[in-house]
């Protein structure tokens, strides 16, 4: 059974610092891994999707890496801004259609 | 991208009653899902909504408690039946398989916040 863990559960940084969010999964037989952002009252927004054959994906200030052999993914957010404050969730997809979500990291970027 | 809306956005219900949540996608998607997010926890998949046939439920979820309909490629409903306070949660609708975007990208609605007294 796949288990996805995100540490730390919460993170507070001053504006301008780079953010590093960690995600680990127990079953390396994944098809892809997605990172989402969840804002209060607004559901989830897909940020990046990394296929199992890929090592990283980049979108603007966001970069996500994937190391299947070690069961880890990392989301980097460069030059953080107060608008980056949200909860970030990673989710691993194995065979079938089920996404297994981590518990999330709640991020606060202080001006 | 796809825009997914849900109705109602929130509700307060009495135990023993039922609530039907509607999910509307602005584009056709091949797959739709229903998730639950209990207070302080992450998302758990309830079921995959299949067009024109019975939904596929995950372990721990049954059709009698969470009947689901999906009459077409853009609409689905989830009913939370015979509610108890333990059903207090956020219920999220999701879709993927949108034409013109990576098929694995999954979109989520804003969620329905349910409180059962």
């Amino acid at each position: 059974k796949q288990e996805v863990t995100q540490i730390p559960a919460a993170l507070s940084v001053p504006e301008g610092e780079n953010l590093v969010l960690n995600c680990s999964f127990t079953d390396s037989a994944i098809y892809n891994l997605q990172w989402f952002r969840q804002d209060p009252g607004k559901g989830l927004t897909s940020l990046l999707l990394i296929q199992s054959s890929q090592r990283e994906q980049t979108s603007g200030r966001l970069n996500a890496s994937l190391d299947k052999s070690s069961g880890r993914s990392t989301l980097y957010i460069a030059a953080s801004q107060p608008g980056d404050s949200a909860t970030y969730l990673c989710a691993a997809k194995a065979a079938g259609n089920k996404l297994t979500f981590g518990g999330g990291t709640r991020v606060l970027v202080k001006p | 991208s796809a825009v997914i809306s849900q109705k109602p956005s929130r509700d307060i219900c009495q135990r023993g009653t039922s609530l039907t949540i509607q999910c509307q996608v602005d584009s056709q998607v091949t797959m739709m899902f229903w998730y639950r997010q209990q207070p302080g926890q992450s998302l758990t998949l309830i079921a995959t909504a299949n067009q024109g046939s019975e939904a596929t439920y995950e372990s721990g979820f049954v059709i009698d408690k969470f009947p689901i309909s999906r009459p077409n490629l853009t609409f689905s409903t989830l009913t939370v039946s015979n509610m108890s306070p333990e059903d207090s949660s956020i219920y999220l609708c999701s879709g993927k398989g949108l034409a013109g975007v990576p098929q694995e990208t999954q979109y989520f609605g804003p969620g329905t916040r349910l409180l059962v007294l």
Side-chain angles (χ1 to χ4, degrees), chain B residues 5 20 30 33 42 48 57 84 93 112:
Chain B
S5 58
T20 295
T30 55
F33 309 93
S42 194
T48 301
Y57 290 85
S84 67
C93 173
T112 296

Side-chain angles (χ1 to χ4, degrees), chain A residues 32 34 36 38-46 49 51 89 93 96-104, chain B residues 31 33 35 37 40-45 48 58 90 92 96 102 104-111 113:
Chain A
N32 62 57
Q34 273 190 258
F36 295 89
Q38 184 173 30
D39 293 282
K42 293 188 177 180
L44 277 69
T45 302
S46 178
L49 183 150
Q51 300 289 357
L89 296 158
K93 179 181 177 297
N97 291 299
K98 182 178 179 179
L99 282 180
T100 302
F101 282 83
Chain B
M31 308 203 71
F33 309 93
Y35 286 81
Q37 186 175 28
Q41 299 187 25
S42 194
L43 281 76
T44 300
L45 180 64
T48 301
E58 295 297 309
I90 300 173
L92 296 108
K96 74 170 187 178
E104 290 299 317
T105 301
Q106 203 155 325
Y107 300 95
F108 284 81
R113 282 152 185 76

Side-chain angles (χ1 to χ4, degrees), chain A:
Chain A
K1 179 188 172 185
Q2 178 74 275
E3 292 182 3
V4 180
T5 304
Q6 291 184 249
I7 296 173
L11 187 59
S12 179
V13 298
E15 181 177 2
E17 271 200 13
N18 297 331
L19 283 163
V20 181
L21 307 178
N22 299 304
C23 171
S24 61
F25 46 94
T26 55
D27 186 353
S28 62
I30 61 170
Y31 283 3
N32 62 57
L33 188 133
Q34 273 190 258
W35 282 94
F36 295 89
R37 168 182 173 142
Q38 184 173 30
D39 293 282
K42 293 188 177 180
L44 277 69
T45 302
S46 178
L47 297 175
L48 290 168
L49 183 150
I50 314 175
Q51 300 289 357
S52 61
S53 58
Q54 297 175 315
R55 298 285 295 195
E56 66 177 349
Q57 277 284 352
T58 298
S59 176
R61 293 184 295 112
L62 275 60
N63 174 277
S65 65
L66 176 64
D67 185 342
K68 278 181 56 178
S69 61
S70 66
R72 292 180 184 175
S73 177
T74 303
L75 178 66
Y76 301 90
I77 303 178
S80 62
Q81 304 168 359
D84 295 328
S85 299
T87 297
Y88 292 83
L89 296 158
C90 67
K93 179 181 177 297
N97 291 299
K98 182 178 179 179
L99 282 180
T100 302
F101 282 83
T105 296
R106 191 169 62 255
V107 171
L108 176 63
V109 180
K110 295 178 287 187

Side-chain angles (χ1 to χ4, degrees), chain B residues 23-103:
Chain B
C23 174
Q24 180 73 55
V25 190
D26 69 343
S27 305
Q28 292 185 347
V29 289
T30 55
M31 308 203 71
M32 293 181 75
F33 309 93
W34 286 98
Y35 286 81
R36 180 173 73 182
Q37 186 175 28
Q38 293 180 300
Q41 299 187 25
S42 194
L43 281 76
T44 300
L45 180 64
I46 297 172
T48 301
N50 300 310
Q51 185 200 358
S53 64
E54 191 172 291
T56 304
Y57 290 85
E58 295 297 309
S59 175
F61 298 97
V62 295
I63 187 172
D64 290 345
K65 177 66 176 177
F66 297 103
I68 289 170
S69 77
R70 188 182 174 193
N72 56 50
L73 292 176
T74 63
F75 185 79
S76 178
T77 66
L78 168 74
T79 299
V80 186
S81 303
N82 188 24
M83 288 184 284
S84 67
E86 291 71 34
D87 295 319
S88 297
S89 187
I90 300 173
Y91 292 86
L92 296 108
C93 173
S94 174
K96 74 170 187 178
L98 180 70
V101 300
Q103 293 296 288

